């Protein structure tokens, strides 16, 4: 019996607008209407402004802690834009921009990091869960929410966000295995900023990409330029369409 290859995998990377302002017409044309692009840019700018204020409050000792969102605005914003307004956004703490797009007031984020529980009370209409600070927990919550949606015959899906460090937590692996195996309509969006506090990604994960971790569980996976709002919208639209199909199975 010869040795056979039983599985091969590839990870595609999506980038539509690169750092030299080269725009891929083939993938990006018509994806975001011009008037929406202006609104998205305004959303990212105001989120950046809040971020700077919050960071200064924290550094001057007036706020206990604050994880900066700077440079990660496009990811959750692109997702919130691509999803339906009644799809679950199950976030950790670098998704302010997507939450603001949904209508969560900036005040809630400040209250949260000031230690005021009212900052965790997301109004039901926003379909957003409280910011998850314990690393990894929210992926299981998202899987449960999406499972409930499928069980009830609804077409609502969930999108959960986590960091590269969180992808090394047991919770991620349990959620990913369960979700893929039961075809639960949940999108796992890893915001890989290459660090888990002071631990670089390369010394907590031997795989060249976080995306390939999902392949082990039988999920379709891709890598996306998270600074590229076009790529984020494109990728989440594709993932959402796939997830919504599984609602109907
Ligand atoms: C269960 C748990 N363990 C440890 C921590 C402390 N902690 C806060 S942020 C962080 C690193 C998370 O890294 P990553 O998942 O890459 O997210 P990032 O902060 O880079 O967005 C850790 C370990 C925590 N919040 N929760
Ligand atoms: Mg990280």
């Amino acid at each position: 019996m010869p040795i056979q290859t039983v599985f091969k995998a590839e990870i595609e990377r999506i980038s539509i607008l690169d750092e030299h302002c080269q725009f891929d017409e083939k993938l990006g044309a018509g994806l975001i209407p011009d008037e929406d692009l202006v609104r998205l840019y305004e959303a990212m700018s105001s989120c950046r402004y809040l971020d700077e204020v919050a960071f200064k409050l924290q550094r001057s000792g007036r706020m206990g802690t604050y994880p900066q969102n700077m440079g990660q605005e496009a990811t959750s914003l692109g997702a919130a834009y691509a999803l339906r307004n009644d799809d679950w956004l199950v976030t950790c703490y670098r998704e302010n921009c997507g939450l603001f797009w949904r209508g969560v007031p900036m005040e809630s984020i400040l209250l949260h990091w000031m230690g005021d529980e009212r900052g965790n009370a997301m109004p039901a209409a926003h379909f957003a869960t409280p910011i998850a600070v314990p690393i990894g927990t929210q992926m299981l919550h998202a899987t449960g929410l999406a499972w409930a949606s499928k069980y009830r015959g609804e077409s609502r899906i969930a999108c959960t966000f986590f960091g590269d460090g969180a992808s090394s937590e047991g919770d991620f692996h349990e959620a990913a295995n369960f979700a893929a195996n039961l075809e639960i309509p949940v999108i796992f969006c890893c915001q890989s900023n290459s660090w888990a506090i002071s631990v670089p990604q390369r010394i907590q994960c031997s795989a060249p990409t976080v995306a390939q971790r999902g392949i082990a569980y039988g999920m379709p996976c891709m890598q996306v330029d998270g600074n590229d709002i076009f790529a984020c919208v494109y990728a989440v639209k594709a993932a959402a369409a796939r997830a919504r199909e599984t609602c109907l199975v």
Side-chain angles (χ1 to χ4, degrees), residues 93-94 133-135 163-166 193 195-197:
Y93 44 73
R94 299 203 200 268
V133 179
I135 300 301
D164 44 312
N193 56 15
W195 292 90
I197 308 186

Side-chain angles (χ1 to χ4, degrees), residues 37-92:
L37 258 183
V38 174
R39 288 175 59 219
L40 291 168
Y41 181 73
E42 284 169 358
M44 286 195 277
S45 302
S46 52
C47 185
R48 178 74 59 95
Y49 186 69
L50 182 274
D51 208 54
E52 283 165 7
V53 170
F55 188 60
K56 282 180 192 155
L57 285 172
Q58 194 268 329
R59 286 298 150 119
S60 57
R62 286 176 285 172
M63 190 145 83
T65 187
Y66 179 75
Q68 281 179 289
N69 280 225
M70 187 176 69
Q72 297 191 211
E73 293 92 348
T75 311
S76 65
L77 181 63
Y81 178 79
L83 292 168
R84 262 177 22 194
N85 277 342
D86 66 342
D87 289 331
W88 285 107
L89 280 186
V90 186
T91 68
C92 52

